[in-house]
Amino acid sequence: MHEITEKIDLAHTVFQMKVKAPLIAKKRKAGQFVILRLNEHGERIPLTIVDSDEKEGTITLIVQEVGRSTEMLGDMQKGDSILDVVGPLGKPTHIDDFGIVVCVGGGIGTAPVLPIAKAMKQAGNKVISIIGARTKSLLILEKEMRETSDELRVTTDDGSYGHHGFVTQVLQEFIDEGMKIGCVVGIGPVPMMRAVSNTTRPYNIPTVVSLNPIMVDGTGMCGACRVTIAKKTQFVCVDGPEFNGHDVDFDELVLRNRSYLKEEKMAMEEFTYHEGDKCYERSKP
Amino acid sequence: MDPKETKERMKIPRQKMSEQSPLERIKNFYEVPHGFSAEQAMEEAKRCIQCKKPLCVGGCPVNIDIPWFIRLIAEGKFVDAARKIKETNALPAVCGRVCPQEDQCEKVCIVGKKGDPVSIGRLERFAADFEREHGEMQIPEIPKWTGKKIAVVGAGPAGLTVAGDLVKKGHRVTVFEALHTAGGVLMYGIPEFRLPKKIVQAEVEYLKRMGAEIVLNAVIGKIETIDELLANGYDAVFVGSGAGLPNFMNIPGENLTGVYSANEYLTRVNLMKAYQFPEFETPIIRGSRVVVIGGGNTAMDSARTAMRLCPEKVTIVYRRSREELPARVEEVHHGEEEGLKFQLLTNPKRFIGDKDGRLKAVECVKMELGEADESGRRRPVEVKGSEFSIEADIAIVAIGNGANPLIPQTTQDIKVNKWGNININPDTGRTSKKGVFSGGDIVRGGATVILAMGDGRRAANSIHEYLNTGVW
């Protein structure tokens, strides 16, 4: 059992929690993820590790409530325990001295970008970050990203805060200004990662994206997380999660991520009910 | 045994094991055969003529003293029979169910030369079930600690065998399991209706009571490397990390929604209990028409699982003919009883999807058997112009596995072959790295539970020898 030692709401349906997992806290590197299972009936939920505290023996996760399992996780509080936590999984980010690294985070994607930005900074890079959200209230980790980066730009789709528009517009500005970018790290919703990759492709700027396909075991056994990279099938759990954005078949990823829309909707409607902001599980049949 | 008695015994017919009727069982996931009654077991045991030089023992990959345990059953000493088996086999209730006895012990049974062989597997199952169900699982005496510690990677059939054998020799064993439940393929791969999961867990509990420690959710290669295990107080490591990533055919449309690997399909249903969705949270696409590609036991398991998730039609597509089907005859027979269709001498060419990327049909081509290949089997070749489509909303690809890359990725001095399987000395299970042993599917590719257990047995003996002598 893994105790939740801290829980903070970051934005509407987005929260941050610290979870006891001393060995993982010691071993994990930027870019890696864990898989949680909340209880005996639970599904396996892959989540990127945002940070860790070796002394406390905790890892930090940031989660957006998108379905039944993440809503149930959202209802757990400090002092509650998670049944299973396994990791660190996936390959760590390739950290190197690239000169200038532009870190781009879209929505909840800013969470996995933060540890990479930190590691890139430590490796001697000049780190310039762009974070964006649909609207101001959904923006997360602005303070942390500002502390980590040499320069931070913020965008909102509706113009409620920062630059009115998309992260890719700011990225394009940097390129147009002649900034010598050594590497772009872009993490967020699939359309955003595709847009970032399309922005840098004409200039051959190395671009890393972190993919979030449907997974089951996450240890290189089942093959659920397969994606097409440069026309070849790869497995995100052991070959990724990070890939060259210019090689990723994003269209396929979008379709595969929709595999269980019908089932997810059914689970939400039939097995949970809401009171105010809370999501409760119906009693089992 | 005098010749007259032998003759009498040969007259006893092979006992029939009752089972759920096909119509009943395709609506549930309960075990198909019910097992022998005590009377049936004793009657069947009397069919064994107690050969002086029993060939069956040599036919068993872990060399169970078969005539001895069968004699105990014939005498009504069921618990003693179970304990006799357990001297050489840590998982008898599992092996009694899933071993291909018709290719091993029963194949060489002398009684079988003139008629049906003794039902060795069913008797093994009976003894193990009797002992468990009557609360008679007794822990053998464990010798004093030798002072040695062994790490086992993977709590599947190979790893559990190693753990059981070494604990009985007085060593301390820690088993590291990547998933949230111990059992490996016995939990995620083999369906409930062939191997109830509570039986697997009872056998795991037995090992724990003997003193084996099992650490779940521990992916070796990630949380700790083999080198770290060796540096942190383990005197030897056994790698039984099992089957790796599924093979695909590299044909168009393989990543459409609705195309599963057998590993994923079975893991969702068996390990994650997706057949009880939404009570259990992991979903699975139900669909109505299913195509399963492949002819092995995993293909049969996938197809029979699909039958139980209410589809209209499940079809096995296999590129050779019925004679070459690698699956157990019993599985094919059970599948056919349940309404499974076979599209033999057929190979898929591509998967066809709709505008949302969901599978709607599998385009296939007819095959014919040509010249024999290196394996001695006649090679299937395409019949030109014979393409046709099978409508399907689910396809399950069951054509084998690659090797899991996590251990070789993080332990460079463990040598692997070109497919990524670990190289070992087959007699000792020793790898190229001092103190590291291996066996099971990470060595063999896709094989059987009992072969993995045989590897575990040999490796355990060799580990014991290495720990005593220090000679590599």
Side-chain angles (χ1 to χ4, degrees), chain B residues 28 58 79 85 94 111 190 223 227 254 293 385 402 440:
Chain B
N28 65 54
V79 173
I85 301 170
V94 172
V111 178
I190 301 174
I223 193 78
D227 286 314
E254 223 153 24
I293 296 144

Side-chain angles (χ1 to χ4, degrees), chain A residues 28 32 48-52 60-62 111-112 114-115 118 141:
Chain A
R28 71 100 201 176
Q32 291 186 299
T48 308
I49 305 165
V50 176
D51 202 354
S52 63
T60 304
L61 306 171
I62 292 181
L114 177 62
K118 276 187 187 166
L141 301 175

Side-chain angles (χ1 to χ4, degrees), chain A residues 2-69:
Chain A
H2 301 262
E3 194 195 334
I4 297 167
T5 59
E6 185 187 298
K7 189 187 167 218
I8 307 165
D9 288 327
L10 294 184
H12 180 61
T13 70
V14 178
F15 57 90
Q16 171 176 312
M17 54 174 47
K18 285 188 172 179
V19 179
K20 271 266 187 221
L23 264 180
I24 301 174
K26 200 169 126 189
K27 284 285 174 158
R28 71 100 201 176
K29 293 198 171 86
Q32 291 186 299
F33 64 96
V34 286
I35 288 184
L36 314 184
R37 200 173 66 120
L38 304 186
N39 54 50
E40 286 296 343
H41 286 222
E43 61 185 328
R44 293 169 66 90
I45 315 166
L47 292 168
T48 308
I49 305 165
V50 176
D51 202 354
S52 63
D53 186 327
E54 228 187 289
K55 233 167 69 197
E56 276 181 13
T58 59
I59 53 170
T60 304
L61 306 171
I62 292 181
V63 187
Q64 181 163 34
E65 294 176 12
V66 289
R68 176 180 165 205
S69 299

